[in-house]
């Protein structure tokens, strides 16, 4: 997460940027965008379901005592049923043990982050960003010119959401360079520099389409950086 010094630098960059535009920039940093509780359960279920097939592929098979002369059909049926029950019981126990062991292993944060599909991370980050956009009332600016810059640290992902006033005039792809600079700062452990670079690129775009109006450029949203657990 950002230090107090980093937060002060970012807030200063926001104030300086908003002098040039009627747009409003709002920054949120989250440690993680979801608990991903379904990921350990999914991997545990996959391991448990795959276990019997893996055992068969490895050459493990069910054996029964050799049949000798004098065995009746009923005895042979009982023997086959006993062997089948033992094999089924063993498979169920193995699946149960595997399910619990894999679930515990994948629940460890580093393992869970590694095994969570990137598409799922992107979906959760985007959803949390939209939730924050609404929760912080970015849609309430006078000309619908709010811009949310949202970073999710553990997923190493960022989202930029521009309100409809901006989206109507600016192609969403133009923000990609700003987001790349932002994440570069986090990857190199210089988050404040990443934010400053991203904000600078964003305000260049905003100032082109939504320049500041002298004497009528109120600061409609707080400039502080919000940190989420």
């Amino acid at each position: 997460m950002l230090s107090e010094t980093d937060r002060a630098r970012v807030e200063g960059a926001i104030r300086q940027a908003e002098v040039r535009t009627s747009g409003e920039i709002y920054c949120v940093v989250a440690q993680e965008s979801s608990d991903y509780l379904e990921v350990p359960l999914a991997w545990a279920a996959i391991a448990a379901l795959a276990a019997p097939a893996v055992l068969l592929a490895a050459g493990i098979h069910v054996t029964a005592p050799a049949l000798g002369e004098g065995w009746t059909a009923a005895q042979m049926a009982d023997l086959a049923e006993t062997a089948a029950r033992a094999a089924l019981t063993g498979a169920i126990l193995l699946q149960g043990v595997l399910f619990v062991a894999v679930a515990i292993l994948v629940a460890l944060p580093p393992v869970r982050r590694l095994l969570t599909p990137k598409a799922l991370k992107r979906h959760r980050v985007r959803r949390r960003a939209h939730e924050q956009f609404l929760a912080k009332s970015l849609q309430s600016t006078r000309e619908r010119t709010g811009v949310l810059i949202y970073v999710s640290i553990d997923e190493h992902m960022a989202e930029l959401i521009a309100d409809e006033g901006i989206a109507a005039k600016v192609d969403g792809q133009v923000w990609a360079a700003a987001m790349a600079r932002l994440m570069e700062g986090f990857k190199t452990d210089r988050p404040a520099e990443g934010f400053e670079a991203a904000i600078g690129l964003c305000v260049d775009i905003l100032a082109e389409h939504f320049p500041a109006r002298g004497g009528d450029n109120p600061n409609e949203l707080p400039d502080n950086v919000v940190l989420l657990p």
Side-chain angles (χ1 to χ4, degrees):
M1 302 292 277
L2 275 69
S3 67
E4 289 295 326
T5 301
D6 289 336
R7 292 173 67 181
R9 288 177 59 181
V10 176
E11 290 162 11
I14 295 172
R15 284 193 296 270
Q16 184 177 0
E18 290 181 349
V19 172
R20 299 173 51 199
T21 176
S22 60
E24 293 286 331
I25 299 174
Y26 196 88
C27 296
V28 176
V29 179
Q31 185 65 47
E32 193 170 22
S33 292
S34 174
D35 51 23
Y36 302 101
L37 290 177
E38 69 274 35
V39 172
L41 296 178
W43 280 103
I46 291 171
L49 291 173
V54 172
L55 290 176
L56 289 175
I60 296 177
H61 56 277
V62 178
T63 59
L67 299 179
E69 295 182 3
W71 286 77
T72 65
Q75 289 174 322
M76 294 175 64
D78 288 342
L79 183 62
E81 182 179 352
T82 299
R85 285 181 178 273
L88 182 59
T89 301
I92 291 173
L93 290 174
L94 174 64
Q95 287 179 310
V97 171
L98 270 177
F99 185 92
V100 173
V102 172
I104 293 174
L105 176 63
V106 179
L108 298 173
V111 180
R112 173 175 54 76
R113 285 194 290 267
L114 180 65
L115 295 181
T116 300
K118 186 175 182 179
L120 178 59
K121 292 180 183 178
R122 173 57 65 188
H123 172 73
R124 294 293 170 81
V125 169
R126 186 170 290 123
R127 185 178 72 179
R128 188 81 183 278
H130 279 279
E131 290 172 355
Q132 289 299 308
F133 186 92
L134 297 175
K136 307 305 181 185
S137 299
L138 268 74
Q139 75 281 11
S140 300
T141 58
R142 183 174 58 181
E143 298 180 16
R144 304 297 297 268
T145 54
V147 174
L148 172 69
I149 298 177
Y150 175 87
V151 179
S152 195
I153 294 175
D154 285 350
E155 290 91 342
H156 306 292
M157 293 180 178
E159 283 286 327
L160 186 147
I161 302 176
D163 205 356
E164 60 183 30
I166 296 172
K169 295 184 177 181
V170 180
D171 189 311
Q173 298 300 318
V174 303
W175 310 108
M179 294 298 94
R181 293 292 299 276
L182 173 61
M183 293 314 300
E184 182 182 344
F186 275 88
K187 290 176 182 177
T188 57
D189 199 27
R190 294 180 294 181
E193 291 184 19
F195 262 114
E196 288 171 338
I199 291 168
L201 291 174
C202 287
V203 77
D204 288 341
I205 297 168
L206 291 172
E208 178 182 353
H209 297 278
F210 303 92
R213 294 181 298 274
D216 184 25
N217 190 28
N219 189 6
E220 300 179 75
L221 296 173
D223 297 330
N224 60 296
V225 181
V226 176
L227 304 182
L228 302 178

